[in-house]
Amino acid sequence: MLYGRPFFIMSEPLSIFWFRRDLRSDDNHALYEALTGSYPVIPVFIFDTDILNKLQDNYDARVNFIYHKISELNNQFRKKHRSSILIKNGRAVEMFAEILNAYDVKAVYANHDYEPAAIQRDREVADYLSTKGVQLKTFKDQVVFEKNEVVKSDGKPYSVFTPYSKTWKSIYKGKELPYYNSENYLHNLQQEKHDFPVLEGMGFKPLNIDYPPANIPEKTIRDYDQYRDVPAMEGTTRLGIHLRFGSISIRKLVKKAEELNSTFLDQLIWREFYMMILYYHPRVVDKEFKPQYSNIPWRVSESDYHRWRDGYTGFPIVDAGMRQLNETGYMHNRVRMITASFLTKHLLIDWRWGEAWFAEKLLDYELASNNGNWQWAAGSGCDAAPYFRIFNPETQIKKFDLEQKYIKKWVKDYSKTSYPKKMVDHRKARIRALDTYKTALNKRE
C-alpha cells in the first residue's frame, strides 16, 4: 500500500467519504455506510470557494472552527489508522474532477444538506459523477426527520410549528433512533498520507478563539427551561455551532433532551421545522414566507441601521445584545428576539438587513434558523401570531434582566452621560409599526 501522495491514477478501487456538515467520526451515517461498503475509503473535505469567496472577512471565526475540526479529525486518522483527510480548495465539481483523475473511485458518500445552494451543488456534483459512472450516495444525518417523514395527513408539509411538533413527537415515540457506529470501522480508511494545508494558503487568517464545548454538563440541559431566558446566566447550551457543522450527533442530543428536558427538545424540533420550511420553500431565502407581507414599505435609513448594528440605539437591552454579538459572535436567544423586533418594528427596517448582519457575525449561523427567526420577528414567517407582536425593550429588562447584570456587562457606557439617548419613542414607534403593517396588509386585500 502506497503511503504518500499519488502522482498517477491509483488502480485500487476506492470509495470517497465527503465531509460537509458532519465533522465527526462517531455516529456519522454516510461515513458508516462508506466504511461498511466494499472498498477502502478516502475521507475528503473541500474548502468550497463558492462559499468562501462570498465571505467579507479573512479573519472568519467559522472558517477557523471548520479548519480546527478537520485538523482534529485528520490527527485522529493519522495516529490511529495511518490515514488522513484529502483536503481540496476550489469548486466542488472541479475538485471531484481532480479526485477522479487520480483515483479509481467507485462511489462517493455524503450526508444530506437542505439549503438551496447545497442542493444545487450536490446536483451538479452528482451529474458530473454520473458521467464517469460514479454514484453520489447521500444519507440523512443532520436531522432526526426529514422531507416527507413529518407531513400532514394529505402528504403536504406543515407550515405551523405546533402541529408539526405534535406529529414529530408522535412519530418519534414509536421509533427507535439508529446509532451508526462509524467510529468502529475507521480501520477501513485508505492508508495514505495527504498534505494538510495551512489556513493562510486559502486566504484566511488563524484566530485564537475559545469555542463553546461540545460536551456540556447534563445540568445545563436539565435546567434549560428555568434559565434559558435569563441573558446574564449561562443557561443555554451554546451548542449551535456544533449542530451547524455536525461536530455532535443530533441523534445523541435528541435522546439526551428527551431524557432531561422537554423544552430543550422543543428547540431541537424548531431547528428541524425551519430546515424543512427552507427545503420545501427555498424562496424564503430572500422573500417573505407569507406573500402578503411583501408590501411592507420598509424604511431605508443607513444611519438608523448602523446605530442598531453597532449597539447605540439608546435602548440598553438592544445595545447589549448587539455589542455582545459584535464582540463575541454570539447573542443570547432571548436578546436575539428583542433586537430583531426592534429593527423590524421600532425602526421599520427590512428584516433582510438584520438577517444579513446576523449571518455575517454569528458563530452558530445556520440559514434555516436565522431566516426563520428573522421572519418570525418581522411577522412574515410561518407563525400563527399576527404582526402586532412587538417587544417592549423596557418590559423585557424587567422580566429578564431586572438587576441589569447583562446590560452592565456589555454596555460599558450605560451609566455615563455619553450613552446615547433613545433613538425612538417606544409608544410612537409601536403605533407607527402597527399602522404601517395594517395599511400594507389591507391594501393587498
Side-chain angles (χ1 to χ4, degrees):
M1 184 75 66
L2 178 66
Y3 195 73
R5 295 194 67 181
F7 294 95
F8 51 88
I9 191 162
M10 303 287 286
S11 59
E12 181 183 24
L14 298 165
S15 292
I16 297 293
F17 171 69
W18 183 10
F19 275 111
R20 290 115 66 93
R21 293 184 54 173
D22 42 27
L23 305 183
R24 66 186 189 282
S25 60
D26 63 295
D27 192 24
N28 186 318
H29 190 174
L31 179 58
Y32 170 84
E33 298 292 345
L35 292 171
T36 57
S38 303
Y39 307 106
V41 176
I42 297 181
V44 169
F45 184 84
I46 299 172
F47 283 94
D48 192 338
T49 52
D50 283 347
I51 299 172
L52 299 184
N53 289 346
K54 296 176 183 177
L55 298 179
Q56 303 293 318
D57 191 353
N58 59 1
Y59 288 93
D60 191 281
R62 290 166 298 197
V63 173
N64 269 261
F65 179 84
I66 293 170
Y67 184 82
H68 286 298
K69 284 298 172 184
I70 292 295
S71 298
E72 290 173 4
L73 286 166
N74 194 63
N75 290 336
Q76 175 193 355
F77 295 165
R78 280 193 176 188
K79 289 178 181 178
K80 294 184 178 180
H81 307 287
R82 287 176 58 84
S83 180
S84 61
I85 301 175
L86 175 59
I87 307 293
K88 291 289 185 177
N89 181 28
R91 294 195 68 243
V93 69
E94 294 171 2
M95 297 304 98
F96 274 105
E98 291 184 4
I99 292 170
L100 265 60
N101 282 334
Y103 295 95
D104 182 12
V105 177
K106 297 301 182 183
V108 176
Y109 292 78
N111 287 310
H112 291 166
D113 200 331
Y114 308 98
E115 297 183 1
I119 292 172
Q120 176 58 36
R121 174 204 61 202
D122 288 356
R123 187 178 296 120
E124 185 179 1
V125 169
D127 288 346
Y128 168 75
L129 292 176
S130 67
T131 67
K132 303 297 182 180
V134 179
Q135 184 180 359
L136 175 62
K137 301 180 178 182
T138 63
F139 303 86
K140 178 180 66 173
D141 185 72
Q142 63 174 289
V143 294
V144 172
F145 298 121
E146 65 172 10
K147 302 176 184 179
N148 63 351
E149 291 182 313
V150 180
V151 292
K152 294 185 284 188
S153 58
D154 61 1
K156 294 181 180 179
Y158 284 102
S159 59
V160 178
F161 175 73
T162 300
Y164 172 89
S165 176
K166 289 180 179 178
T167 301
W168 192 103
K169 290 176 181 177
S170 68
I171 297 173
Y172 178 76
K173 282 184 179 179
K175 187 177 181 65
E176 180 68 26
L177 286 187
Y179 179 82
Y180 302 100
N181 57 335
S182 46
E183 66 275 18
N184 292 341
Y185 295 91
L186 295 175
H187 57 273
N188 290 330
L189 291 171
Q190 169 77 339
Q191 292 186 358
E192 187 175 340
K193 183 178 179 180
H194 304 285
D195 293 338
F196 199 88
V198 295
L199 196 57
E200 294 91 333
M202 294 179 287
F204 290 88
K205 304 292 185 181
L207 296 171
N208 185 19
I209 297 177
D210 291 325
Y211 292 102
N215 296 317
I216 59 171
E218 285 193 354
K219 188 178 187 304
T220 302
I221 298 178
R222 188 177 290 111
D223 298 340
Y224 181 80
D225 58 315
Q226 299 180 50
Y227 304 120
R228 71 183 182 118
D229 281 321
V230 184
M233 295 185 64
E234 294 293 334
T236 61
T237 66
R238 298 289 301 275
L239 291 176
I241 190 169
H242 297 286
L243 286 168
R244 172 66 179 90
F245 295 112
S247 46
I248 57 175
S249 162
I250 185 61
R251 290 174 291 276
K252 287 183 181 179
L253 191 58
V254 162
K255 286 181 180 179
K256 188 171 289 189
E258 180 191 22
E259 296 169 3
L260 300 176
N261 195 289
S262 61
T263 302
F264 182 61
L265 177 62
D266 285 341
Q267 295 304 303
L268 298 177
I269 299 172
W270 267 107
R271 172 179 171 270
E272 297 200 0
F273 173 67
Y274 279 142
M275 280 192 178
M276 292 307 104
I277 289 293
L278 180 62
Y279 174 76
Y280 279 108
H281 308 279
R283 60 183 171 79
V284 299
V285 169
D286 55 12
K287 292 182 174 59
E288 288 76 7
F289 179 81
K290 297 175 183 173
Q292 62 268 35
Y293 281 76
S294 61
N295 287 335
I296 304 298
W298 302 110
R299 295 176 59 247
V300 178
S301 173
E302 292 278 354
S303 60
D304 283 0
Y305 167 72
H306 287 150
R307 286 188 63 175
W308 170 85
R309 185 195 69 182
D310 298 336
Y312 289 92
T313 67
F315 288 82
I317 190 72
V318 174
D319 295 341
M322 298 309 297
R323 296 185 193 187
Q324 181 187 25
L325 172 65
N326 295 336
E327 186 173 328
T328 69
Y330 172 77
M331 187 195 299
H332 187 276
N333 186 62
R334 165 60 54 174
V335 188
R336 294 187 197 197
M337 293 189 286
I338 298 169
T339 56
S341 176
F342 187 86
L343 182 73
T344 57
K345 302 294 177 60
H346 285 75
L347 301 183
L348 271 177
I349 289 177
D350 196 329
W351 59 268
R352 281 161 282 247
W353 291 27
E355 186 202 26
W357 185 247
F358 274 29
E360 183 175 335
K361 289 295 180 178
L362 282 172
L363 287 176
D364 60 11
Y365 166 69
E366 186 170 60
L367 174 57
S369 295
N370 193 49
N371 181 280
N373 285 315
W374 269 97
Q375 293 219 41
W376 181 89
S380 62
C382 47
D383 185 64
Y387 62 85
F388 48 76
R389 175 184 51 211
I390 301 174
F391 285 103
N392 182 331
E394 298 300 330
T395 302
Q396 293 292 307
I397 293 174
K398 292 176 182 177
K399 286 183 177 180
F400 304 113
D401 195 32
L402 185 59
E403 297 179 10
Q404 301 179 0
K405 291 181 180 179
Y406 176 75
I407 289 171
K408 290 175 181 177
K409 179 177 181 178
W410 296 106
V411 185
K412 304 299 184 184
D413 54 343
Y414 174 50
S415 58
K416 298 179 180 179
T417 56
S418 59
Y419 183 66
K421 295 181 180 179
K422 294 178 180 178
M423 60 188 298
V424 292
D425 177 89
H426 167 70
R427 180 176 174 275
K428 292 179 180 178
R430 182 177 184 276
I431 292 172
R432 178 178 67 177
L434 292 174
D435 288 344
T436 300
Y437 271 73
K438 185 176 181 181
T439 301
L441 293 173
N442 285 343
K443 278 183 179 180
R444 182 172 178 85
E445 295 174 358

